[in-house]
Amino acid sequence: MGIPVAVGGRSNLNIFDKDKVTRHLSANSGAFVSSILSSNDDKSYEEYFVDPDGKVRGIITTASYEARAYGVKTAMSVSEAKALCPHLKVIPPNYPLYHRLSNELKELLENEIPVIEQFSIDEFFGDVTGWIKDEDVLSFGKDIQALILQKLDLPISIGISRSKWIAKLTTEFAKPEGVKLLKESEVDEFIKDLPIKEFPGIGKKYQERLQSYGIETLGDIKKYKELFYSWKKPGIQLYNRVCGIDDEPVCAKGDRKSIGIGRTWDPLSDRAEVLRRLVILCRHISFLVHKSKVNPLTYSLKIKYQYRIKSKDYINTNRLFNETYFKEEIVKLFKKIDIHPSHAIVQVNITASNFQNNTKTTLNLFDYEDDLKQNSLNNSMQKLRDKFGLDIIKTAGEL
């Protein structure tokens, strides 16, 4: 206690290494999680954050209250955080642990609350309307907090309100480890003097736009209803959320709609190396497709060059998914959309989506027999990877 500590992360490029690395599959799904996980908890600060050339890499993903007192914030570079707080202890992430705890927390909440919506890996909305009486909701929140600490040893903060976004805002004022209830009659007074940057979803650009109208606080927003409603859906949505009148439901998220993976690296001009990395990413997606038991019919690829130049495209297919065909199509797609061959590439993203609905999809019968053979081989490879690790089988193109 009393020591400024932060967790930092960096783009996981060790999937491109030729050495075998132990990786885990996350049971979570959604935009806020990475499905392929590597454990780094055995690495020192120098091993994880410092490159051979001595350059410090990575960004802060979370910080203790002691670290925040020095100005250390989420999304700040590790080097900037160390400049603000030289004695800051920055530790590598342990993604398998975070995902296991997230899953356990979700299961616990689903047993205690009728409707749960996972907002991020460590944030959940819960709707207890008609389940818990208004006069009992604060004590219920404290009971849930105590149960989570008892079962999972996780200290948490809880914000309670009629509006999900006001509840999220209230949670910030319940920290650390508190439970805060904000009644409908208290919302106006609560938001009156809060800076606009405090509200979830108001980023720097939106702040600048609002400030150009003289809007500095959330209370100011309430005074400008006509202005926000003139901005149509985005403006109306923000106004209603800030005022606590959005009536947006807590929604249990359904099945995932896509499976994707991407990586960012230093500017890379060698196209052969880029293609090698694409093939490796395809292997990882193929494993996830197999585990998810889906048949994607759309493959998408995005390329980001230096100087913020981007290129993207997709293909639709009617083939049974198999790793060999997927790799071939992504390589073709790359060669098609690599429209700036003289520019270095800094990021690629691959997505498999449009999962097959057997009642609406007609498969390509001319390739069906070959696809069945490839599918059988693909299943055998994925079973080996499931048992012995994702790196147990690699194709020549990856080496």
Side-chain angles (χ1 to χ4, degrees):
M1 296 295 289
I3 301 173
V5 179
V7 178
R10 58 182 297 181
S11 187
N12 180 11
L13 300 181
N14 66 16
I15 65 173
F16 303 127
D17 293 345
K18 296 179 182 179
D19 298 332
K20 182 179 177 182
V21 178
T22 302
R23 304 185 211 286
H24 305 260
L25 177 72
S26 169
N28 262 328
S29 64
F32 49 82
V33 295
S34 173
S35 297
I36 300 293
L37 309 173
S38 298
S39 178
N40 304 290
D41 58 332
D42 60 340
K43 294 182 179 179
S44 67
Y45 171 83
E46 288 74 17
E47 289 173 324
Y48 186 78
F49 294 106
V50 184
D51 281 354
D53 60 4
K55 187 173 182 179
V56 177
R57 304 278 187 168
I59 62 170
I60 300 298
T61 56
T62 190
S64 68
Y65 291 100
E66 293 85 354
R68 294 177 196 180
Y70 287 87
V72 177
K73 300 176 181 178
T74 299
M76 176 182 286
S77 70
V78 170
S79 57
E80 186 180 358
K82 292 285 281 185
L84 289 172
C85 182
H87 59 294
L88 178 68
K89 181 177 177 60
V90 187
I91 59 177
N94 187 344
Y95 294 121
L97 172 64
Y98 307 154
H99 284 248
R100 177 177 63 79
L101 289 172
S102 180
N103 288 328
E104 290 177 359
L105 177 56
K106 184 179 180 181
E107 289 177 7
L108 184 152
L109 292 173
E110 286 175 335
N111 287 332
E112 301 295 329
I113 299 174
V115 183
I116 287 293
E117 176 182 337
Q118 184 161 12
F119 185 69
S120 70
I121 193 170
D122 65 345
E123 291 181 284
F124 296 83
F125 290 116
D127 188 351
V128 296
T129 307
W131 178 255
I132 303 296
K133 294 179 180 179
D134 288 354
E135 58 267 29
D136 297 330
V137 71
L138 182 60
S139 60
F140 177 76
K142 292 178 179 178
D143 289 343
I144 286 288
Q145 182 190 52
L147 181 65
I148 292 169
L149 187 62
Q150 176 194 344
K151 296 288 187 181
L152 304 179
D153 197 25
L154 283 176
I156 67 164
S157 302
I158 300 175
I160 306 170
S161 185
R162 284 286 182 184
S163 158
K164 66 192 288 187
W165 300 104
I166 293 295
K168 177 171 169 56
L169 178 65
T170 305
T171 303
E172 294 302 314
F173 293 84
K175 296 178 179 179
E177 301 175 40
V179 179
K180 181 175 177 62
L181 167 66
L182 190 69
K183 299 177 181 178
E184 284 182 278
S185 59
E186 299 171 335
V187 172
D188 287 354
E189 183 64 26
F190 180 72
I191 68 170
K192 185 176 67 174
D193 298 319
L194 288 180
I196 53 176
K197 67 178 182 179
E198 298 288 345
F199 199 80
I202 300 182
K204 288 185 178 180
K205 289 187 177 180
Y206 215 155
Q207 287 177 42
E208 292 171 1
R209 182 182 182 185
L210 296 180
Q211 286 167 345
S212 70
Y213 288 91
I215 298 171
E216 298 286 346
T217 68
L218 299 180
D220 290 338
I221 289 178
K222 186 174 176 63
K223 302 172 186 176
Y224 283 82
K225 182 175 181 178
E226 287 187 11
L227 173 64
F228 281 89
Y229 272 55
S230 73
W231 293 346
K232 305 301 181 184
K233 185 177 179 180
I236 295 171
Q237 183 183 69
L238 178 60
Y239 181 88
N240 290 346
R241 286 179 174 180
V242 169
C243 296
I245 55 173
D246 52 275
D247 291 327
E248 294 180 34
V250 171
C251 300
K253 295 183 178 179
D255 295 335
R256 68 193 302 173
K257 304 298 182 183
S258 64
I259 295 172
I261 192 170
R263 286 296 183 270
T264 302
W265 50 65
D266 288 337
L268 181 60
S269 297
D270 184 349
R271 287 327 192 241
E273 174 61 16
V274 173
L275 285 170
R276 186 184 79 86
R277 295 184 180 192
L278 278 177
V279 170
I280 291 172
L281 294 177
C282 286
R283 164 163 59 89
H284 285 72
I285 288 184
S286 297
F287 179 72
L288 292 172
V289 167
H290 170 76
K291 293 294 291 183
S292 300
K293 298 180 181 179
V294 294
N295 189 64
L297 300 176
T298 299
Y299 311 152
S300 307
L301 175 65
K302 291 182 182 179
I303 302 172
K304 185 177 180 181
Y305 301 90
Q306 276 182 299
Y307 317 116
R308 298 185 178 182
I309 300 171
K310 299 177 183 178
S311 181
K312 62 181 180 179
D313 203 352
Y314 67 92
I315 67 159
N316 289 318
T317 181
N318 56 357
R319 298 274 298 271
L320 280 174
F321 183 90
N322 68 76
E323 186 173 325
T324 302
Y325 174 67
F326 181 55
K327 288 178 177 177
E328 290 172 353
E329 293 304 312
I330 291 296
V331 168
K332 287 180 189 176
L333 203 50
F334 174 80
K335 292 178 177 178
K336 174 186 173 184
I337 69 172
D338 184 19
I339 54 177
H340 300 287
S342 62
H343 287 30
I345 293 173
V346 296
Q347 185 184 78
V348 295
N349 293 86
I350 306 172
T351 306
S353 60
N354 187 21
F355 299 148
Q356 178 189 349
N357 181 333
N358 290 327
T359 63
K360 297 181 180 179
T361 303
T362 303
L363 292 173
N364 183 346
L365 297 180
F366 293 101
D367 299 305
Y368 190 67
E369 189 172 339
D370 289 339
D371 284 350
L372 280 177
K373 293 178 181 177
Q374 284 289 346
N375 191 258
S376 177
L377 176 61
N378 184 72
N379 288 339
S380 298
M381 287 195 304
Q382 305 306 353
K383 287 178 181 177
L384 288 172
R385 287 173 180 155
D386 198 21
K387 186 174 182 179
F388 298 107
L390 284 165
D391 293 341
I392 194 66
I393 298 177
K394 298 182 180 180
T395 56
E398 298 182 38
L399 305 175

